[in-house]
Amino acid sequence: MKILECKEKKQQLVLPVFYHVDPSEVRNQQESYGEALARHEDRFKDDKTKVQKWRTGLQEVANFAGWHLGNGDESKLVKEIVQLVSRIVNHTYLNVAKYPIGIEPRLQDVSLLLSVEMNDVRMVGIVGIGGIGKTTIAKAIYNLMAYQFESSCFLSNVSETSKREGGLVQLQETLLCEILGSLKYEDW
């Protein structure tokens, strides 16, 4: 329950690892999970809501994307987790207003349009008059999704920069340097 609370209140990322247990056993509270929860219901007869919260929490966590190690290779799983956590930890987060009003539905809409879990190429444009929060939404989406990729780059002020002489080349160089990790065009 504490993990879910931190996810909700502090926007922390939850990466569940189902170690020698099938996520469906956790989700459906079968086998050892069902037995343990039944014992807890006997133990907390006076506070049935406590165990019900635990049941709901386990169902929610079991629905998160995560890892399942049945009889697989533990070292391979650990390597995969370390790579993802390393990308997350080394990811630079962009500054977004602390309490942006009305941003959540827009983030959900853009996330749905991007459908990162689909293995295809997507491009989404955010258009509108100045000052309505296009950059704020773009930064928040970047913060939510950039860690899922090997490399990422956020280009700001694209319209203004592209209008300057050599602006498009500058944008291309910035993009490629960020993505490839190289310092100058000549280094490629």
Side-chain angles (χ1 to χ4, degrees):
M1 293 310 299
K2 194 66 168 169
I3 291 170
L4 292 174
E5 181 183 320
C6 289
K7 179 188 182 303
E8 185 68 31
K9 290 183 179 176
K10 298 181 179 183
Q11 303 301 308
Q12 292 180 336
L13 185 62
V14 176
L15 303 171
V17 178
F18 299 96
Y19 187 78
H20 296 295
V21 64
D22 192 293
S24 66
E25 287 178 32
V26 178
R27 184 179 309 106
N28 300 321
Q29 286 127 35
Q30 298 170 329
E31 299 187 27
S32 62
Y33 282 85
E35 293 166 13
L37 287 166
R39 285 192 304 272
H40 284 305
E41 283 176 339
D42 287 341
R43 186 173 163 208
F44 296 104
K45 291 176 194 163
D46 299 334
D47 191 4
K48 295 256 185 203
T49 58
K50 179 183 261 186
V51 179
Q52 184 55 45
K53 285 180 186 177
W54 293 346
R55 285 185 180 279
T56 304
L58 284 169
Q59 287 173 334
E60 188 175 339
V61 169
N63 286 325
F64 292 160
W67 293 271
H68 172 220
L69 178 71
N71 295 323
D73 184 353
E74 286 184 34
S75 63
K76 195 175 178 181
L77 178 69
V78 169
K79 184 178 179 181
E80 193 177 315
I81 294 169
V82 166
Q83 287 174 340
L84 176 63
V85 170
S86 177
R87 282 201 314 259
I88 293 168
V89 169
N90 293 324
H91 169 66
T92 303
Y93 284 86
L94 303 174
N95 185 33
V96 177
K98 192 164 186 163
Y99 301 106
I101 297 171
I103 195 170
E104 200 59 41
R106 276 108 187 129
L107 293 179
Q108 290 172 353
D109 291 345
V110 175
S111 294
L112 186 64
L113 289 171
L114 288 171
S115 298
V116 174
E117 59 280 347
M118 302 291 287
N119 197 14
D120 60 354
V121 177
R122 302 266 174 124
M123 186 182 319
V124 175
I126 303 172
V127 297
I129 61 172
I132 62 169
K134 297 180 299 292
T135 301
T136 301
I137 291 170
K139 286 180 177 180
I141 286 290
Y142 177 89
N143 288 342
L144 283 174
M145 296 183 170
Y147 76 88
Q148 298 176 42
F149 301 93
E150 289 178 31
S151 299
S152 59
C153 174
F154 186 86
L155 296 173
S156 58
N157 301 319
V158 172
S159 181
E160 294 83 12
T161 304
S162 65
K163 290 176 186 173
R164 294 193 299 245
E165 184 158 337
L168 286 175
V169 172
Q170 179 188 351
L171 289 168
Q172 286 176 326
E173 286 184 1
T174 302
L175 176 65
L176 292 171
C177 286
E178 291 279 328
I179 299 288
L180 300 175
S182 182
L183 297 175
K184 293 186 179 178
Y185 175 74
E186 295 82 31
D187 295 338
W188 300 327

